[in-house]
Each structure stands twice: as structure tokens, then as C-alpha cells.
Amino acid sequence: MERPAALDLSQDAATLTARLVDIPSVSGTEEPLADAVEEALAALPWLRVDRYGNNVVARTRAGRSERVVLAGHLDTVPVADNLPSRLDADGVLWGCGTCDMKSGVAVQLRIAATVPEPNRDLTFVFYDNEEVEATRNGLGHLAAHRPDWLAGDFAVLLEPSDGQVEGGCQGTVRMRLRMKGARAHSARAWMGENAIHAAAPVLERLAGYRPRRPVIDGLEYREGLNAVRIEGGVAGNVIPDACVVTVNYRYAPDRDQDAAVAHVHEVFEGCRVEEFTVEDHSPGALPGLAHPAARAFVAAVGGEPRPKFGWTDVSRFHALGVPAVNYGPGDPNLAHKRDERVEAAAVVRCEERLRAWLTAPTGT
Amino acid sequence: MERPAALDLSQDAATLTARLVDIPSVSGTEEPLADAVEEALAALPWLRVDRYGNNVVARTRAGRSERVVLAGHLDTVPVADNLPSRLDADGVLWGCGTCDMKSGVAVQLRIAATVPEPNRDLTFVFYDNEEVEATRNGLGHLAAHRPDWLAGDFAVLLEPSDGQVEGGCQGTVRMRLRMKGARAHSARAWMGENAIHAAAPVLERLAGYRPRRPVIDGLEYREGLNAVRIEGGVAGNVIPDACVVTVNYRYAPDRDQDAAVAHVHEVFEGCRVEEFTVEDHSPGALPGLAHPAARAFVAAVGGEPRPKFGWTDVSRFHALGVPAVNYGPGDPNLAHKRDERVEAAAVVRCEERLRAWLTAPTGT
């Protein structure tokens, strides 16, 4: 691939978004974009720039009492015949990655370039492979191998959130519940024990389950406990000796991983589940909106913070002890769509609000 | 394959069984055995012999007021390193087909050869492809294309039944019950409708189902209604929009096919099943033990008739209006096993009892 022209960080965030979108960076092919980002940041004398793989981290060292992390991923889902970008007459920018999340990355770069003396020290994180399996996630690699680069008092992920603050995220655990039985010919069912029938109380509990809606830091979360798969059966004339129900418990961030697993066991107590197996598990993240930096952030950007029901990378910051929220331009429902787009004005608005927050005089 | 030596029908049924076993006849390869059977029967002047494919039918034409059909299949399951046959010191004959059912076929041939003047007209049916899919079954082909060859007042299938009369057989219907839902991300379950949860009442009904045990012609049948398969699920983070439970209803022969399907609908009334589909259906067969020929048969062979819970070919005779039972030497639990075997004495005993029944003076 031809080396892309250098990024011009004096352009506004919307124009810069178009430039970033036109450097394709489907997961696994982020190198040219990471190069361009690194090169542009290296020109800013108030930043120290580090790189790990295709992950770029830039930090101010102004000696402030607080440090804020602004993070975003460089990759996109596969291009769907929607490149290069196109700005229409209504000021809407179309193309793969406009919304998720090169507009957010453009805002990060603009803050980096235009706030040489922030009121809080700043860390800018640009990472790869967010749109693919968790083991490849660049933020995860940084957390594992360069955790000190991610240190901070508060983090903002610039994922599309329609310009609203989304606090924390729910945890998610998937567990397999195995029912046992005994095979027999179905013409002589009384000689066996039907494992599918044994799942009846499990499905009853699920059907009658009343999820919690706890309020944390002023945000109302909505839990859920659902069967996402059921499998049982040997042959058309055999009483089945096994049936497995896979449940997904989405839980509010006031519960930790152990409490979540314990809750699932509790729900199905007495159901004669032979075996519980955790298939995968990602913890939630508290919104951390009580933190002074977070409070100032919410006050500066405005709006009513919302809870995030789905799991997001804010959880990785939470695991490092850094409260984190999502806040970025773009409608999250347009992410991954062929008609992905973002309003240019929304990108600029986000840039301005973040700059206002990071340049205002800080109280005690 | 070398043409097998002619069958000698003057040998006793156990010796003849060994001869038949040593002419391999795995389903689809019955021709040499059918040839040998046809040739042996053609030498008996009191029989008219007909052939359709590898199905051989021989009939007396003595002008009796009743006609009895003695039927057996020529094929076996695949040989499992258990040929040629071997008679051990305890008088047990080992080998593929000894039990299921060349001992029964030997009894048929012995009756054909030794009862030139039976008290009831006799029809001997030897058919192919019983051990494979129903569409290949030779008795089914005869019923479809030569039904007059199968006409009679009563039929005995010489399938292994441990020398006990097994009357009629239960019907079996397999039906798919489909539950509907609406997909949603499992982090926002309230936006969807879980089709697996919707199956809870179906499994409850199954778990609490009390099967009938009707007594018909003195035999107690045992019905059963069981889930034999359950499937649902889209992905680990999706509320599933469909769940299918496949049930198998085994029903006593006092119910016909329509009544069986109606019963399944009835059981799940109010369960919000979106769709019922019949996957396959084989009707039962009444034992017909009230028929004079059957009564005389049971009296002659002795023992206590038992119901047959599994589906068998007696149902094909029932469909032609011919009451039928299973009665033959050999333990049915040894069928299809590598260590398949039959007691020589049991084969001879079966031969003697049938001969006694078919040669005794008949009352009015």
C-alpha cells in the first residue's frame, strides 16, 4: 500500500475524520493508520509518544494532580463498498468508520494538537483489533504488557454514544447447565429418564425470572437472565440422557464475577442441574461518576448520563482501577452498517466540549 | 457368489437354521437365499410358489375355511465377524441371523415341508430388507403390489419373541412443536421475546404427563409421550426467536393415527405452540386375540400373551385387515449383537408347537 500523506491536525475534527476514514484500517491492517497517527503526534513537543505493535500512546507530562485517558480504536469492520468517504449537502459524512469510530479518533487527535497545556494531564490511547475476538484486542495487550501507559484517574472511550455520557457497563457471563438422564428406547420410556423433561424447571425459572434494575451512581441498569441455546436429543426413538441449556446473565456493575456466578447457581437451586460450567465471562465496570474528574466531565459536556447495557472496553479500564465512560459522536445504531455515517457538526461539537472541559480552570 | 447347495428341508429346524445362517443375506444381498428358499419350496407339490423381487410367497390351496399367514424376513444386519455359524457344546447356535431371524425362517420352512394337509390353509411369506429403511421393506412392497398374496384371517410373524406370543404393536408418531419469539441483543433482552423460555410450559406438560395403560384383548399396553429432541439458539449474545421440541408419542392400538395426532394437540393446548408438524407416523396394530384362529393359536402354543411396545411389521398386516402377532424363537435382546445366538432346543420347540396348532382337529 502507498504510504498515506501526513495527517494535518490543524483541520477541524470533521475534516480530519474524512482523512482518517480514507486510510482503510480493517482489523489486522491498522499499520498505515497507526504510522500516520504516530508521526502526527511525534510532531507535538508536549507529548511523549510510545508504540506497542500497532498501538500508539501519547502522554503529556505537565505534573497535574489528575490524569485523564482519552481512548479509541483504530480499526473498523470490513469495508462494505462504502469507501472513500463522502460529505453530502446536509453536512453528513458517509463511509466505513465514520461513526465507529474515526470521528472519535479525530477528536482525540484534535485535543492532542490543540491543548498543549491541559488542566489535567492527558493520555491518548489509539489501539487496534477492537472489532474482532477479545484475545486480539490492542487495549487488552496494552493492559497486559504496558499497564503503566494506561494509568490515570478517569478514562473516556470515544465510542459512538450520540454525544451522551454512557457510564460503566454491565458484565456478562455465559454458563452451561447440564441435565442428566438415562437412555432407553422411546417405546419403553419407563426404563429411562428423560433429560429434556428434566430441563422443565430450569425453563420455568427463566420464564418467571424478574431481573434487577439497580441504580448505581444515579444510573439505572437493567439486568437479564436468558437462555441463549438449548440442545438435547440422541435419536428419534431414544429417550435422551443429556440436555444442555446455555444461559447468559447480564449483570449490573455492583456485582463482581463471583457474585454473578453465585447468583446463577442460586436461581436454579433445586432444579437438579447436574453440572454448571462457565463458558465465558467478562466483568462489568462501575460508572465511577462520583469521581471529581468524572463529575467535572459530566458537568462540562452536559446531558444526562445513561447506563451502558452492553459490554464495552470501559471494563478493561475498570479492571485496571480506572473509572471510565463512553462518550463520542455518532449514533451507535449506525455502527457496522453499510450506510454508516456521522453528522460533521456532531464531531465538532464533541471536540469543543472536550476542549472546554480540559481547559477550564479546575476547582479544588 | 457361488450358488449355495440346495436346502434339505428334512433336517430339523435347528440344523436348518445353521444352513440358512451360512448363506449370508445382509439387507440388499438376499438373492442367493431367496433362490434357495424358492427352489426348496417349489419341490413341495401342495404349494403354489410366487416371487416378487426377492420376496417369495408359497400357499396351500386346500379349501379350508381359514387361512393363516406365517411370515419372516430373509435379511440380516451386517455381519460382525460372526459367520459361519457355530454350535457349541451346550446346544447354542451362534452367528449373525441365528436369532433375528433365520431360526424363525427355518421353522417356516419346516412347517411348509412337513404339513402337507394343514387344518387351515397356509401362506408362507419370505421377504427382504426388513432391517433397513421402511421404503425398501419387502413386506411393504408386497402389500402395495401383491396384496392378494398376503390375504388371510390371522398372521404370525416369526420374529424373536422368546417363544412368547406378542400381540399387536403400539403406534408411533413423531411431531415437531415450534415456539416463536423475537430476536434481540441479550444485553437488551426486554426488546425481544425468548422462544426457549416459551418452551417451558411444553416441557412442564411432558414432565407431568401420565401415560395411559389401556387393556386391549387382555393385554396391557403402556403409552409414552417424550421429548426426543430440543433445539433453540442463534448465538451466545442473542435472544433466540425459535425453539423446536420434537416429541415421540407411542400409543396403544385402540387409537388410530388421527386420534393420536389429536391427542398430542390436546396435551399442549394453551402452551402457545406456534406450529405442529408430523415428522413421521406409523400406526399401531390391534392384537386381534379375540379372533378364533388367534385364540386357538394361543391355546396351542401356551404361555401368556404379551403386548408389543415397539413398532413391528405386524402393523402392515393390520393395515391389510389381517390380525397378527409376533411369535418366534430367540431372545429379542440378542438381535443385532455380535454375540447373537439361539438355543437349538428353542427352535425345535417352536417348530413343534406350530405344527401341533396347524395339525390339531379344529372345533367349530
Side-chain angles (χ1 to χ4, degrees):
Chain A
M1 183 174 166
E2 211 182 328
R3 188 183 162 81
L7 296 172
D8 176 0
L9 301 190
S10 73
Q11 297 175 311
D12 69 89
T15 308
L16 187 55
T17 300
R19 286 283 298 112
L20 296 170
V21 168
D22 293 335
I23 304 173
S25 57
V26 176
S27 310
T29 67
E30 298 90 339
E31 191 170 356
L33 181 57
D35 290 347
V37 166
E38 184 186 9
E39 189 186 323
L41 294 170
L44 305 171
W46 53 90
L47 293 178
R48 170 188 168 144
V49 181
D50 291 295
R51 180 157 174 165
Y52 180 82
N54 287 325
N55 304 290
V56 179
V57 177
R59 287 174 284 177
T60 64
R61 285 166 303 172
R64 307 290 189 246
S65 59
E66 284 181 353
R67 176 173 289 278
V68 164
V69 182
L70 301 180
H73 61 86
L74 295 174
D75 61 323
T76 68
V77 294
V79 180
D81 207 20
N82 51 1
L83 282 189
S85 64
R86 178 175 63 84
L87 183 69
D88 71 16
D90 298 323
V92 175
L93 182 68
W94 300 70
C96 180
T98 46
C99 167
D100 184 13
M101 58 168 282
K102 291 184 174 175
S103 47
V105 170
V107 170
Q108 289 176 269
L109 290 171
R110 281 289 293 164
I111 299 296
T114 60
V115 187
E117 293 194 1
N119 54 12
R120 297 167 177 91
D121 264 311
L122 297 179
T123 299
F124 302 92
V125 179
F126 304 87
Y127 61 102
D128 66 354
N129 286 314
E130 193 270 348
E131 301 288 6
V132 288
E133 59 271 31
T135 52
R136 293 171 61 189
N137 186 295
L139 192 61
H141 291 185
L142 288 172
H145 303 291
R146 298 291 185 273
D148 51 308
W149 295 5
L150 302 180
D153 299 288
F154 181 62
V156 177
L157 260 119
L158 284 98
E159 289 272 5
S161 70
D162 237 351
Q164 301 295 314
V165 178
E166 292 181 336
C169 76
Q170 296 201 130
T172 174
V173 60
R174 208 155 45 225
M175 292 173 72
R176 293 161 54 89
L177 280 56
R178 197 172 159 281
M179 262 57 62
K180 232 182 63 173
R183 287 193 196 189
H185 194 288
S186 66
R188 286 173 291 278
W190 59 91
M191 302 185 72
E193 204 188 320
N194 197 313
I196 295 177
H197 298 190
V202 168
L203 297 196
E204 272 179 73
R205 296 273 170 95
L206 285 166
Y209 185 78
R210 309 272 298 186
R212 292 195 315 147
R213 295 174 73 155
V215 175
I216 305 163
D217 279 3
L219 306 188
E220 188 191 48
Y221 285 84
R222 294 185 71 166
E223 299 198 335
L225 178 62
N226 271 276
V228 291
R229 182 167 298 282
I230 187 166
E231 280 179 301
V234 176
N237 60 351
V238 175
I239 302 302
D241 57 352
C243 179
V244 175
V245 183
T246 305
V247 301
N248 182 207
Y249 177 38
R250 299 277 175 161
Y251 57 96
D254 59 341
R255 286 198 162 152
D256 66 12
Q257 289 184 286
D258 290 344
V261 170
H263 177 67
V264 173
H265 279 264
E266 207 178 276
V267 167
F268 299 105
E269 207 173 300
C271 288
R272 298 198 305 135
V273 174
E274 190 69 20
E275 194 182 31
F276 289 85
T277 315
V278 172
E279 206 171 83
D280 64 37
H281 199 166
S282 299
L286 286 164
L289 296 178
H291 189 280
R295 264 211 294 257
F297 170 72
V298 172
V301 302
E304 195 63 45
R306 299 184 300 203
K308 186 73 177 175
F309 300 120
W311 193 88
T312 81
D313 269 339
V314 300
S315 173
R316 294 187 200 274
F317 282 105
H318 181 75
L320 291 167
V322 184
V325 299
N326 287 306
Y327 175 76
D331 177 352
N333 296 319
L334 294 173
H336 303 191
K337 299 231 165 132
R338 184 183 294 267
D339 58 351
E340 187 176 346
R341 58 192 185 273
V342 72
E343 275 183 69
V347 186
V348 173
R349 200 156 51 236
C350 180
E351 173 191 352
E352 286 167 355
R353 290 188 177 161
L354 281 181
R355 187 183 299 106
W357 171 50
L358 295 169
T359 55
T362 53
T364 43
Chain B
M1 183 174 169
E2 209 184 333
R3 189 182 162 80
L7 296 171
D8 176 1
L9 302 190
S10 73
Q11 296 175 311
D12 69 88
T15 309
L16 187 56
T17 300
R19 285 283 300 112
L20 295 170
V21 168
D22 293 336
I23 304 173
S25 57
V26 176
S27 310
T29 68
E30 297 92 338
E31 190 169 359
L33 182 56
D35 288 348
V37 164
E38 183 185 10
E39 190 187 323
L41 294 169
L44 305 170
W46 53 89
L47 293 178
R48 171 188 167 144
V49 181
D50 290 296
R51 180 157 173 165
Y52 180 82
N54 287 325
N55 304 291
V56 179
V57 177
R59 287 174 284 177
T60 64
R61 286 165 302 173
R64 307 290 189 246
S65 60
E66 284 182 352
R67 175 173 291 279
V68 164
V69 182
L70 301 181
H73 61 84
L74 295 173
D75 62 323
T76 69
V77 294
V79 179
D81 206 20
N82 52 1
L83 282 188
S85 63
R86 177 175 63 84
L87 183 69
D88 72 15
D90 299 323
V92 175
L93 182 69
W94 300 70
C96 179
T98 46
C99 168
D100 185 14
M101 58 168 279
K102 289 183 175 176
S103 47
V105 170
V107 169
Q108 289 177 270
L109 290 171
R110 282 290 293 164
I111 300 296
T114 61
V115 186
E117 293 194 0
N119 55 13
R120 296 165 178 90
D121 265 311
L122 297 179
T123 298
F124 300 92
V125 179
F126 303 88
Y127 61 102
D128 65 355
N129 286 315
E130 193 271 344
E131 300 289 7
V132 288
E133 60 270 30
T135 51
R136 292 171 61 189
N137 185 296
L139 191 60
H141 290 184
L142 288 173
H145 302 292
R146 298 291 185 273
D148 51 308
W149 296 4
L150 302 179
D153 299 288
F154 181 62
V156 177
L157 259 119
L158 284 97
E159 288 272 5
S161 71
D162 238 351
Q164 301 294 316
V165 177
E166 292 181 336
C169 75
Q170 296 200 131
T172 174
V173 60
R174 208 156 44 228
M175 291 172 72
R176 292 160 55 89
L177 280 56
R178 197 172 160 280
M179 261 57 61
K180 232 182 64 174
R183 288 192 195 188
H185 194 287
S186 66
R188 285 173 292 277
W190 59 90
M191 302 186 71
E193 203 190 320
N194 196 313
I196 296 176
H197 298 191
V202 168
L203 297 196
E204 274 179 73
R205 297 273 169 97
L206 285 166
Y209 184 78
R210 310 272 298 185
R212 293 196 314 147
R213 296 174 72 156
V215 175
I216 305 164
D217 279 4
L219 306 188
E220 189 190 49
Y221 284 85
R222 293 186 73 166
E223 297 197 337
L225 178 62
N226 272 276
V228 290
R229 180 166 300 282
I230 187 165
E231 280 178 301
V234 175
N237 61 352
V238 176
I239 302 302
D241 57 352
C243 180
V244 175
V245 183
T246 305
V247 302
N248 182 208
Y249 177 37
R250 299 276 175 162
Y251 57 96
D254 59 341
R255 285 198 162 151
D256 65 14
Q257 290 183 285
D258 289 346
V261 171
H263 178 67
V264 173
H265 279 264
E266 207 178 275
V267 167
F268 299 105
E269 207 172 301
C271 288
R272 297 198 306 136
V273 175
E274 190 69 20
E275 194 182 32
F276 289 84
T277 315
V278 172
E279 206 172 84
D280 65 37
H281 200 166
S282 300
L286 285 165
L289 296 178
H291 190 279
R295 264 211 292 257
F297 170 72
V298 172
V301 301
E304 196 61 48
R306 299 184 300 203
K308 186 74 177 172
F309 300 119
W311 193 88
T312 81
D313 268 339
V314 302
S315 173
R316 294 187 201 274
F317 282 105
H318 181 76
L320 292 167
V322 184
V325 299
N326 287 305
Y327 175 75
D331 177 352
N333 295 320
L334 294 172
H336 304 190
K337 299 231 165 131
R338 185 182 291 267
D339 58 351
E340 186 177 346
R341 59 191 185 272
V342 71
E343 275 183 68
V347 186
V348 173
R349 201 156 53 235
C350 179
E351 173 191 352
E352 285 166 357
R353 288 186 178 162
L354 281 181
R355 187 184 298 106
W357 170 50
L358 295 169
T359 54
T362 52
T364 45

